[in-house]
Amino acid sequence: MPVIAPVPAVPPARIPSQREDSDGAMTAGTTVDHLTETYRAHYRSLLGLAALLLDDTASCEDVVQEAFIRVHSARNRVRDPEKTLAYLRQTVVNLSRSALRRRILGLKLLSKPMPDMASAEEGAYEQLERDQLIQAMRGLQRRQREVLVLRYFADMTEAQVAETLGISLGSVKAYGSRGIAALRVAMEAPA
């Protein structure tokens, strides 16, 4: 009779501990050094982006710093380190939207008179055109306004705008062309 040897016991599969799993996730995401370097290198452009969506410097700085903090705390979600800047831009746009919503709600709740604008002879026409452009931009749909601000004021490519807003390239082109057409009509209309 042949002798049958027992099958050697296979050690159970090793389940990584929570600490090891979180370390693995951190290596898969962007590093703190890369995130910090990207933030420092693009701080001014992020601040400019926030400034185009908001209207006061203090809020812009707060938004950009908050964006860094949020991306830092969720850096393991940034699988491709090359997309770190895109995550920062997207977060700046989202936080700017939130700041504007809070501001609008505050204005609705507190109906205080707006301060009068001081008259100035020099640059009066420029100020009038700027005010007319701002008013016309406010009359656009939200997406049209965001696309135009990112495309022409932040000087992003259409692909960068699409990535920042999370929409397709075709949508960026459509929102952009419709927004420009609406701006032309609004700027040519008699005041």
Side-chain angles (χ1 to χ4, degrees):
M1 247 178 136
V3 176
I4 300 175
V7 178
V10 178
R14 191 169 157 270
I15 300 172
S17 68
Q18 189 174 3
R19 179 173 167 77
E20 290 170 339
D21 192 33
S22 66
D23 289 345
M26 290 175 86
T27 58
T30 189
T31 63
V32 174
D33 292 337
H34 178 70
L35 175 62
T36 305
E37 181 181 317
T38 303
Y39 176 74
R40 285 183 182 153
H42 297 279
Y43 176 77
R44 283 212 177 281
S45 68
L46 293 170
L47 193 61
L49 174 61
L52 292 169
L53 298 171
L54 300 171
D55 57 356
D56 71 274
T57 308
S59 295
C60 297
E61 290 171 348
D62 290 344
V63 162
V64 172
Q65 290 172 3
E66 180 67 22
F68 173 74
I69 291 168
R70 290 199 182 181
V71 173
H72 182 276
S73 64
R75 68 187 176 280
N76 59 342
R77 293 185 194 156
V78 184
R79 299 277 183 231
D80 183 6
E82 296 298 317
K83 293 188 177 182
T84 303
L85 180 58
Y87 274 84
L88 283 168
R89 284 181 179 151
Q90 179 66 47
T91 307
V92 167
V93 169
N94 289 341
L95 290 172
S96 296
R97 286 180 189 159
S98 296
L100 287 173
R101 277 193 294 269
R102 283 191 304 274
R103 190 174 298 162
I104 289 169
L105 182 62
L107 289 174
K108 286 180 181 176
L109 295 176
L110 301 172
S111 59
K112 60 181 180 182
M114 297 298 288
D116 291 344
M117 190 169 151
S119 63
E121 293 176 24
E122 206 170 306
Y125 286 116
E126 288 179 19
Q127 185 64 40
L128 287 173
E129 286 179 359
R130 195 174 311 129
D131 289 345
Q132 187 182 9
L133 176 62
I134 290 170
Q135 196 63 25
M137 289 289 287
R138 287 183 181 150
L140 296 177
Q141 293 177 2
R142 178 178 58 93
R143 280 288 190 197
Q144 289 175 348
R145 183 174 53 249
E146 290 170 354
V147 166
L148 292 179
V149 165
L150 293 174
R151 180 76 175 101
Y152 297 104
F153 292 99
D155 200 29
M156 290 185 182
T157 65
E158 290 174 337
Q160 289 172 327
V161 173
E163 187 175 346
T164 300
L165 295 177
I167 59 177
S168 70
L169 188 59
S171 295
V172 170
K173 291 177 182 182
Y175 284 125
S177 66
R178 289 182 192 136
I180 289 174
L183 278 179
R184 278 191 187 122
V185 169
M187 296 295 285
E188 291 173 0

